[in-house]
Amino acid sequence: MQRLTSLLFVTFLVTHVVQAQDRTKYSELIKEAWKLYETKAYLTSAQKYSEAFAALGNKSTVNDRYNAACSWALASQPDSAFAQLFKIAAGGMYTNLGHITTDTDLNSLHNDNRWNTIISHVKTNKAKAEANFDKPLVAMLDTIYQNDQSYRQQMKGVEQKHGWNSDEMKALWKIISEKDSVNLIKVKKILDERGWLGADVIGGKGNATLFLVIQHADLATQQKYLPMMRDAARKGNAQPSSLALLEDRVALGEGKKQIYGSQIGTDPKTGAHYVLPLVDPDNVNKRRTQVGLGTIEEYIANWNMTWDVELYKKQLPEYEALQRR
């Protein structure tokens, strides 16, 4: 009996390692497929998506399957595109009616009789998914989301045109602060009265809005609601990746180092971006993977930075000094 238990344990370990390797290969292939899509190599992109799905036993995320359909459609392969769409629509998984009906990548499919069937499935999926939604609250959170994000989306353009310390940027920050104050009053009321609601009640966008507003709040507010969000993440009512970002914000606010490298600083003198003080830089990608975040290399590329862990460790005292100021 002891020998049997040992064999089962070894089998479990081997299976776990194989599954981890398959997931890694899947992730790498998906990244390749997306890069090919971005360079408009649509047929090669679609084939790479198929290779990724095969690597995981024909499993995939809904988004990856949808993106594969887009590549097939843009490659003028409607049968393959519909095959992907039927998997996620007829399977009851895809619910984003607003996106699929306005996505120009799929325009070539609209005159095919199968398109109306796909849309019918998505409408049914959406109705089922939203059956228990608090519709008035969803509408309120949608407005809060727009107020939170619309002005922040202007920041990159203002920085590029006028500079980070410009009067134009200061004026934009003033508007953002005013919107944040109003949003916070509304979200705190929701959290205090109803707790951290999940996507089953307020939808994925509404659920993300709760996080965004708290993420952009003052430290005391973040500290107050961090335990609530931790509990929500354990129950599946909040995304672990979002929680990771809030953990980083609170840690830095308390004078500690961040854990996941999600927070980026800007040197006030040079305007250069840098990863704010980070604990154990060597293993940051392991921690990011555990909560569903991409690699630090991919993340900081959004700020035109590259990741050199040895250089970062040498510059860390300088970053800590900047943070203390």
Side-chain angles (χ1 to χ4, degrees):
M1 194 65 160
Q2 182 64 45
R3 185 170 180 272
L4 176 61
T5 302
S6 298
L7 286 173
L8 286 172
F9 181 66
V10 171
T11 302
F12 170 78
L13 287 178
V14 171
T15 303
H16 182 73
V17 170
V18 170
Q19 289 175 342
Q21 290 173 340
D22 289 345
R23 286 194 296 270
T24 299
K25 185 178 180 181
Y26 175 88
S27 179
E28 291 172 352
L29 290 169
I30 290 297
K31 290 174 187 175
E32 290 181 44
W34 180 255
K35 288 178 181 177
L36 288 164
Y37 167 87
E38 291 184 311
T39 60
K40 299 184 179 181
Y42 299 125
L43 180 58
T44 312
S45 169
Q47 292 168 339
K48 192 64 67 173
Y49 275 116
S50 294
E51 190 178 343
F53 302 155
L56 207 60
N58 202 34
K59 296 177 183 178
S60 70
T61 68
V62 173
N63 283 345
D64 291 340
R65 190 75 68 174
Y66 178 90
N67 289 339
C70 290
S71 289
W72 283 118
L74 291 167
S76 300
Q77 300 290 327
D79 290 346
S80 295
F82 277 114
Q84 300 303 322
L85 291 176
F86 272 110
K87 282 182 183 294
I88 58 176
M93 296 174 286
Y94 191 81
T95 62
N96 198 339
L97 182 64
H99 185 76
I100 195 172
T101 53
T102 58
D103 190 348
T104 56
D105 284 356
L106 302 177
N107 279 355
S108 64
L109 307 180
H110 290 188
N111 292 327
D112 191 300
N113 290 332
R114 289 171 290 184
W115 178 253
N116 289 333
T117 305
I118 290 291
I119 298 304
S120 178
H121 281 308
V122 176
K123 287 180 178 178
T124 299
N125 297 342
K126 184 174 185 291
K128 289 181 179 178
E130 298 178 359
N132 296 319
F133 275 17
D134 184 327
K135 300 295 177 60
L137 188 54
V138 169
M140 178 194 295
L141 287 167
D142 186 64
T143 300
I144 291 173
Y145 179 91
Q146 296 302 324
N147 288 336
D148 181 276
Q149 290 293 294
S150 60
Y151 296 99
R152 284 182 165 84
Q153 290 169 357
Q154 300 175 31
M155 292 176 68
K156 187 174 182 179
V158 172
E159 180 184 9
Q160 291 174 341
K161 186 175 181 179
H162 302 287
W164 184 257
N165 296 314
S166 65
D167 290 338
E168 287 81 3
M169 182 62 79
K170 292 175 183 176
L172 181 58
W173 267 117
K174 186 175 184 296
I175 296 173
I176 291 172
S177 296
E178 291 171 352
K179 296 292 183 181
D180 284 354
S181 296
V182 175
N183 287 343
L184 184 57
I185 292 170
K186 295 176 181 178
V187 166
K188 286 173 71 174
K189 188 173 187 296
I190 295 169
L191 295 175
D192 291 343
E193 293 180 356
R194 302 185 61 177
W196 202 289
L197 299 171
D200 58 329
V201 178
I202 54 176
K205 187 176 180 181
N207 183 251
T209 300
L210 298 179
F211 155 72
L212 286 171
V213 172
I214 298 303
Q215 173 86 335
H216 296 147
D218 58 277
L219 177 60
T221 298
Q222 292 172 347
Q223 290 171 320
K224 176 182 177 180
Y225 292 104
L226 178 57
M228 182 186 290
M229 190 178 185
R230 286 172 179 160
D231 185 57
R234 284 192 293 269
K235 294 177 179 176
N237 287 340
Q239 293 295 323
S241 56
S242 297
L243 174 61
L245 271 60
L246 186 58
E247 296 277 12
D248 276 356
R249 286 245 176 153
V250 172
L252 289 168
E254 293 175 343
K256 304 172 185 175
K257 294 178 182 177
Q258 61 177 328
I259 304 166
Y260 303 99
S262 66
Q263 303 304 301
I264 306 301
T266 303
D267 189 320
K269 292 183 178 179
T270 65
H273 298 300
Y274 63 96
V275 178
L276 287 165
L278 172 66
V279 65
D280 186 19
D282 291 299
N283 294 301
V284 62
N285 279 334
K286 291 181 182 178
R287 298 191 297 276
R288 290 177 66 88
T289 298
Q290 290 171 350
V291 295
L293 292 171
T295 65
I296 192 75
E297 289 86 353
E298 294 170 322
Y299 181 64
I300 66 174
N302 292 311
W303 288 269
N304 297 316
M305 292 188 288
T306 56
W307 180 247
D308 182 331
V309 68
E310 296 304 324
L311 178 61
Y312 181 81
K313 286 189 288 188
K314 290 179 182 178
Q315 295 176 328
L316 188 53
E318 177 186 343
Y319 298 151
E320 290 176 303
L322 281 171
Q323 182 67 2
R324 284 194 294 271
R325 294 177 202 162

